[in-house]
Amino acid sequence: MAIPVIDFSTLNGDKRDETMALLHEACQKWGCFLIENHEIEGKLMEKVKKVINDYYEDNLKESFYQSEIAKRLEKKQDTCDIDWESSFFIWHRPTSNIRKIPNLSEELCKTMDEYIGKLVELAEKLSEVMSENLGLEKEYIKKAFSGSNGPAMGTKVAKYPECPYPELVRGLREHTDAGGIILLLQDDKVPGLEFFKDGKWIEIPPSKNNAIFVNTGDQIEVLSNGLYKSVVHRVMPDKNGSRLSIASFYNPIGEAIISPAPKLLYPSNYRYGDYLELYGKTKFGDKGPRFESIKDKANGN
């Protein structure tokens, strides 16, 4: 099964309706998709991967293989509660902590800041077209995530090192993502990411031509009243390769109050007699406006 591929360049052309429909279906049935032609320069993305790989090699690799995680796996002890990964987290919005993380070079900081600036623009555009597909105002998701300081943006930088016993451990255990829209710049050679769909684990191949892999988190499922899904995924380690993952999270700010969009809720707490009366007048029309009218009446409008 091939995951959906969204050509972002067609959102401004004659194929917009077709692309919007494909995106809607991907959010409903998959909870993940690839974005191509997103207008983030490939040269910048390659530089991001290089500076992160260099940082791992110089600062994290040796300590990882000396860690308790590596020792437990070497002794073939119980590994059900550990992940075979070396990772750290960078906050970008509303405030950045990137220059407080030990040993990050100024080149890495500047490169990440430039990349995240472009990625925030892409995430906001995605939130707009997703809102539109849900029948909501264009900035609904952004406003719902914002609180008083705008949506949050952070990046989990991870390496999944070469693993001597990949059959005994997960790179990252099965989970859904807590937040909103996740944009992943991943390895272009080493596989490992898998998503669960229709009772099967689907392998996500390494990304070519700097395509960005996107999945939706729990808050999108809540906001959409279940129309869009957050999907279970995991990372499997590799015996012969070290996989890079740069996952950026476009999330609600901590103070944001999250609930399903009222427009997407069915009416509730209404008298059936009121519904029958309205039904008698609108039986041969679309049921959507009827539901909205009942919601308004139940809410005292």
Side-chain angles (χ1 to χ4, degrees):
M1 261 191 290
I3 66 168
V5 178
I6 308 299
D7 182 350
F8 230 56
S9 67
T10 61
L11 285 172
N12 297 318
D14 295 339
K15 294 185 177 180
R16 175 180 169 80
D17 289 347
E18 179 183 335
T19 302
M20 292 288 284
L22 179 60
L23 175 63
H24 189 53
E25 182 178 28
C27 292
Q28 284 185 304
K29 296 183 178 180
W30 282 81
C32 62
F33 47 91
L34 273 173
I35 293 182
E36 295 181 342
N37 299 319
H38 42 65
E39 297 186 349
I40 301 177
E41 289 186 3
K43 183 178 179 181
L44 174 60
M45 298 173 78
E46 288 298 326
K47 187 174 182 181
V48 169
K49 290 188 284 188
K50 181 183 184 305
V51 294
I52 292 296
N53 275 325
D54 288 348
Y55 177 78
Y56 168 75
E57 292 291 332
D58 294 342
N59 296 277
L60 301 177
K61 182 176 181 178
E62 183 177 350
S63 61
F64 176 80
Y65 283 111
Q66 294 174 354
S67 69
E68 187 62 30
I69 292 173
K71 291 176 182 177
R72 282 175 62 179
L73 185 63
E74 186 63 34
K75 295 175 183 178
K76 298 185 179 179
Q77 296 174 342
D78 182 21
T79 57
C80 66
D81 62 340
I82 63 174
D83 300 307
W84 186 261
E85 71 169 3
S86 175
S87 65
F88 61 97
F89 199 88
I90 305 170
W91 281 109
H92 311 289
R93 307 281 195 279
T95 56
S96 173
N97 72 341
I98 192 167
R99 285 172 173 78
K100 297 178 181 179
I101 298 173
N103 301 319
L104 293 190
S105 68
E106 186 62 21
E107 180 186 27
L108 190 155
C109 293
K110 286 183 176 179
T111 301
M112 282 299 295
D113 284 347
E114 182 180 357
Y115 172 64
I116 292 300
K118 301 291 185 183
L119 203 63
V120 167
E121 293 178 7
L122 178 59
E124 290 185 342
K125 179 64 176 176
L126 257 179
S127 75
E128 289 174 1
V129 293
M130 289 167 65
S131 294
E132 184 179 340
N133 266 338
L134 289 166
L136 305 172
E137 62 178 88
K138 187 170 71 170
E139 294 196 341
Y140 189 91
I141 291 175
K142 180 180 179 180
K143 289 178 179 177
F145 282 10
S146 288
S148 59
N149 293 308
M153 191 78 169
T155 297
K156 179 186 176 183
V157 177
K159 287 284 286 189
Y160 298 94
E162 291 182 14
C163 181
Y165 305 108
E167 70 280 2
L168 298 181
V169 68
R170 296 279 190 267
L172 184 61
R173 287 163 287 167
E174 294 81 357
H175 66 288
T176 61
D177 288 323
I181 301 172
I182 300 85
L183 303 101
L184 172 67
L185 173 58
Q186 67 163 345
D187 208 288
D188 56 5
K189 295 183 177 66
V190 182
L193 181 61
E194 296 183 351
F195 273 67
F196 196 68
K197 176 174 168 53
D198 299 335
K200 299 178 182 179
W201 285 104
I202 307 298
E203 295 181 5
I204 307 300
S207 294
K208 302 299 182 184
N209 301 316
N210 287 311
I212 292 178
F213 183 84
V214 176
N215 67 280
T216 47
D218 294 345
Q219 305 316 305
I220 293 295
E221 181 163 333
V222 171
L223 281 174
S224 70
N225 197 35
L227 289 173
Y228 288 174
K229 306 299 182 184
S230 65
V231 62
V232 176
H233 53 285
R234 66 186 184 187
V235 176
M236 304 300 286
D238 193 287
K239 192 168 188 175
N240 302 308
S242 179
R243 177 177 175 270
L244 175 65
S245 168
I246 304 169
S248 297
F249 297 78
Y250 182 76
N251 281 354
I253 200 81
E255 68 193 43
I257 304 300
I258 304 298
S259 60
K263 189 173 181 180
L264 302 179
L265 291 173
Y266 283 109
S268 61
N269 299 312
Y270 57 86
R271 287 181 65 252
Y272 179 55
D274 292 336
Y275 187 85
L276 278 180
E277 181 181 352
L278 182 60
Y279 180 77
K281 301 173 183 176
T282 61
K283 178 177 180 177
F284 299 109
D286 183 72
K287 64 186 174 185
R290 187 159 62 239
F291 286 168
E292 288 301 312
S293 294
I294 286 293
K295 271 199 286 187
D296 288 342
K297 186 176 182 64
N299 292 330
N301 298 327

